[in-house]
Amino acid sequence: MTKKILLFVTVAAISACSVLNKSSQSEAPNIYSFSDNITEEGLYNDLAVLAHDSLQGRETGTIGEEKAARYLSRRYSEMGLQAVGDDGSYFQHYELVQPAMEEISYRLVSTENDSILDESTHNSNSGSNFVTLFGGSDPLSGSVVFAGTGMMNAEEGIDHFPEEAEGKWLFILYDEEHTNMQHLQMALTQGGALGTILVIGTDVEEYLQEVEERSGYFGIGGRMSLKYQQEGGGTSPAFNRVNPELGARMLGLKDLNRLSDVQDSILENPGAFQSRELPLALEHNPTVNENTIVTKNVVAFLEGSDPELKNEVVVLSSHYDHVGIGQPDSTGDNIYNGADDDGSGTVATLQTAQAMMDARKAGAGPKRSVLFLNVSGEEKGLLGSRYYSDHPIFSIENTVANINIDMIGRVDPEHQNGDSSYVYIIGGKIISSQMDSLTKMANVMGPNLTLSDRYNDLEDPNQFYRRSDHWNFGRLGVPFVFFFNGTHADYHRPSDHIDKITFGPLTKRTKLVYNLTALLANSPERPEVDNQEFIEKTQVQPR
């Protein structure tokens, strides 16, 4: 940390304490004193709207999420924040695609005499001798290579995979213990293989049961993705499973017993096996309806007061979507209100914006600009923040830092009977030593929470540093701090209700967010990413 920033932080803390201890009549307005404008009542009033049953869980692309977006825009408009979205609105629109597989037709052809060995279609009403376990949303056609049991162990001289897999199907006698799924995945994603044809055991009834179960997936919308990322994105490899009776025929075997014998023989001497091309070709033809969903991020802007620093932006983010309507709980409730996830972070963003606008109107606004960003699509894979980071309203180069808030309204099991005035800090020192110092100073200035770094580890198995919207800034080299209070029994459950929010600690955490936003906006220098481990990790592990 530079001496200049250290001096600024010290002066800011002294100034803030001074303002808190003197009357407003004897002191000029100070931005830090306006954190007192954040109240439990204000947080409750906003959350009562966003977590209400009428919003039906705010799932991305639904009318409930639309109602939430309208409420947020109305609140920002009432505050007087600038609308910097599309066509002078508070909305940054973007498109998602959600595929719905209607059916998949398969045709297995002998390349020796150009005859059809099998032709079948799998849909909601009929089964097939092939079943797609996942992937396969594109037409695929190519020759078949027998890859044994899919083993790969270079040290032991075992390699069942072909040297050239591009444009070919890999026919494998799957064995849970021996098939190298990691290498198989590489053959599909990097080697250009079309997909797999897996024989999984010889139990035909078990195969037919899976076919029947998978029939229920047809016609149902799949995982959403950003439309702009799909353009020119290549094909989707297919993990196909084959009826073991047909699998035996593909190898020229008369019965299933011989199929088991072949697999056992390969496993007994795996190093002797070499892949070989079969005189077969498989056509895989899906019928997919792609639904286009238009959704939006909510964006509101507070311009800085400094003629030069106002061109730099601090982004305060939270996601306002949740998971909608789903499986009912024991009470019959099937609306997943998401009061904590992430209603708590969203109302903290609103109240921070309100307090900062109050400071601005009193002549004590921030020097740098602040963008209040409520994203959608977080629950679908951080889609809204990914869209913003790829289509920023204010350039990433001029984005000083990101403060992200997700689930700060509850107490996790570890603190249930102890200190509820805590918050988990993710980011900060594992990215930027200056962000870490500013976060600690923001805490000293008022909330005095217990700052826990339990999850603040690049090797933490939970990988929280990559699991919320801050990551889409971090991957581009923007330093971030993520405030989080841990999961609980009501996470992604209908029971995530407003009556379980701990508003006292939520208010303190929101004041911490406010203080840090103000410090970042007024710091003479912007924080830098200076943790080499983070820099290296983001390079080798892009999302």
Side-chain angles (χ1 to χ4, degrees):
M1 181 183 228
T2 63
K3 293 182 179 179
K4 193 173 183 181
I5 288 186
L6 181 59
L7 176 62
F8 160 75
V9 168
T10 304
V11 171
I14 294 173
S15 177
C17 293
S18 174
V19 169
L20 293 174
N21 290 322
K22 296 183 179 180
S23 70
S24 59
Q25 294 178 346
S26 60
E27 289 288 330
N30 181 295
I31 188 172
Y32 304 105
S33 67
F34 286 86
S35 67
D36 288 341
N37 291 20
I38 296 169
T39 64
E40 292 187 29
E41 181 182 9
L43 290 163
Y44 180 90
N45 290 341
D46 282 327
L47 190 55
V49 175
L50 293 174
H52 193 269
D53 279 357
S54 62
L55 271 66
Q56 299 182 323
R58 310 189 305 276
E59 184 171 14
T60 299
T62 66
I63 187 63
E65 188 197 49
E66 173 69 20
K67 289 180 179 179
R70 291 177 185 174
Y71 177 76
L72 293 171
S73 67
R74 185 168 67 252
R75 288 282 285 115
Y76 288 132
S77 178
E78 291 169 351
M79 295 176 199
L81 286 162
Q82 184 179 348
V84 290
D86 304 331
D87 301 320
S89 71
Y90 289 97
F91 303 135
Q92 181 190 43
H93 297 87
Y94 62 96
E95 292 183 326
L96 302 172
V97 291
Q98 184 177 39
M101 190 80 71
E102 299 300 328
E103 64 179 23
I104 305 177
S105 296
Y106 309 90
R107 176 185 289 181
L108 183 66
V109 177
S110 168
T111 56
E112 288 181 327
N113 53 26
D114 200 29
S115 62
I116 298 175
L117 298 183
D118 184 80
E119 190 169 19
S120 55
T121 298
H122 191 195
N123 55 37
S124 58
N125 299 314
S126 65
S128 168
N129 279 324
F130 292 91
V131 57
T132 300
L133 305 181
F134 54 90
S137 58
D138 299 294
L140 303 167
S141 179
S143 59
V144 179
V145 175
F146 182 33
T149 57
M151 295 180 67
M152 173 63 184
N153 188 323
E155 293 182 359
E156 298 182 10
I158 299 172
D159 186 359
H160 291 184
F161 293 85
E163 290 186 10
E164 180 56 59
E166 186 172 1
K168 299 176 181 179
W169 294 96
L170 301 179
F171 180 82
I172 294 174
L173 304 179
Y174 174 79
D175 180 82
E176 183 177 4
E177 182 179 353
H178 296 96
T179 301
N180 190 324
M181 294 302 294
Q182 182 178 4
H183 194 78
L184 176 56
Q185 185 69 35
M186 288 177 59
L188 301 177
T189 58
Q190 300 178 28
L194 296 178
T196 67
I197 304 172
L198 301 176
V199 176
I200 305 177
T202 58
D203 188 338
V204 176
E205 288 302 317
E206 192 273 333
Y207 168 80
L208 294 176
Q209 182 178 349
E210 177 149 40
V211 171
E212 183 176 355
E213 291 176 354
R214 299 240 169 216
S215 294
Y217 291 106
F218 287 103
I220 298 176
R223 185 177 179 85
M224 294 180 184
S225 59
L226 289 159
K227 187 173 184 178
Y228 73 92
Q229 290 184 329
Q230 304 306 307
E231 299 169 0
T235 58
S236 169
F239 266 77
N240 289 339
R241 179 182 178 182
V242 64
N243 186 325
E245 290 182 334
L246 180 57
R249 290 172 54 201
M250 292 175 69
L251 290 178
L253 305 174
K254 294 182 178 180
D255 56 50
L256 294 176
N257 290 331
R258 285 291 299 133
L259 187 65
S260 295
D261 292 342
V262 170
Q263 184 177 34
D264 291 342
S265 176
I266 295 173
L267 291 175
E268 287 173 5
N269 189 12
F273 178 85
Q274 290 186 338
S275 63
R276 67 178 187 271
E277 191 153 338
L278 300 175
L280 301 169
L282 176 66
E283 298 175 11
H284 167 113
N285 292 301
T287 300
V288 182
N289 289 328
E290 282 199 345
N291 300 317
T292 298
I293 298 167
V294 179
T295 185
K296 56 180 73 70
N297 296 325
V298 182
V299 286
F301 184 66
L302 174 57
E303 186 177 48
S305 60
D306 186 276
E308 294 184 5
L309 292 180
K310 70 178 182 180
N311 295 317
E312 298 180 345
V313 180
V314 178
V315 177
L316 177 58
S317 63
S318 63
H319 74 90
Y320 72 96
D321 65 305
H322 194 51
V323 297
I325 297 175
Q327 187 72 24
D329 61 14
S330 59
T331 70
D333 186 2
N334 67 344
I335 298 177
Y336 292 60
N337 301 96
D340 190 28
D341 185 15
D342 183 28
S344 60
T346 302
V347 298
T349 307
L350 282 174
Q351 289 297 308
T352 298
Q354 179 70 71
M356 202 149 285
M357 274 301 294
D358 292 344
R360 163 80 175 273
K361 292 173 182 177
K367 294 180 180 180
R368 286 188 178 87
S369 298
V370 181
L371 178 69
F372 299 94
L373 172 65
N374 305 118
V375 300
S376 61
E378 192 272 353
E379 301 287 3
K380 304 300 182 182
L382 313 186
L383 301 181
S385 57
R386 178 57 187 257
Y387 184 86
Y388 179 86
S389 64
D390 285 345
H391 304 83
I393 295 173
F394 302 96
S395 72
I396 294 298
E397 291 73 21
N398 284 340
T399 301
V400 170
N402 171 232
I403 304 170
N404 187 45
I405 330 168
D406 195 350
M407 296 178 63
I408 61 166
R410 294 283 297 271
V411 176
D412 68 3
E414 291 194 12
H415 296 83
Q416 199 68 49
N417 299 313
D419 179 16
S420 63
S421 295
Y422 74 99
V423 67
Y424 293 118
I425 302 298
I426 299 169
K429 68 180 180 181
I430 65 170
I431 300 166
S432 167
S433 58
Q434 297 163 351
M435 282 289 283
D436 181 54
S437 297
L438 290 171
T439 301
K440 290 176 180 176
M441 186 54 63
N443 189 46
V444 170
M445 289 165 60
N448 292 312
L449 295 162
T450 299
L451 305 183
S452 173
D453 63 356
R454 176 186 172 184
Y455 299 114
N456 199 25
D457 184 347
L458 294 173
E459 301 301 328
D460 181 76
N462 295 284
Q463 294 286 283
F464 285 128
Y465 84 93
R466 295 162 52 88
R467 284 176 53 185
S468 191
D469 295 300
H470 52 274
W471 173 244
N472 279 317
F473 291 92
R475 70 184 178 90
L476 299 178
V478 176
F480 65 78
V481 168
F482 171 38
F483 293 114
F484 174 59
N485 266 83
T487 58
H488 43 72
D490 302 309
Y491 172 68
H492 282 193
R493 299 292 301 155
S495 48
D496 186 4
H497 287 156
I498 189 172
D499 58 4
K500 295 184 178 180
I501 297 296
T502 52
F503 280 96
L506 172 59
T507 303
K508 290 183 179 181
R509 293 165 197 143
T510 305
K511 290 183 177 183
L512 173 60
V513 169
Y514 176 91
N515 287 346
L516 180 56
T517 304
L519 282 171
L520 283 165
N522 283 7
S523 173
E525 295 181 10
R526 56 192 293 174
E528 296 179 356
V529 175
D530 56 12
N531 185 325
Q532 189 62 32
E533 184 184 2
F534 177 80
I535 295 170
E536 292 173 357
K537 204 169 187 69
T538 54
Q539 288 175 344
V540 299
Q541 294 185 354
R543 190 173 185 86

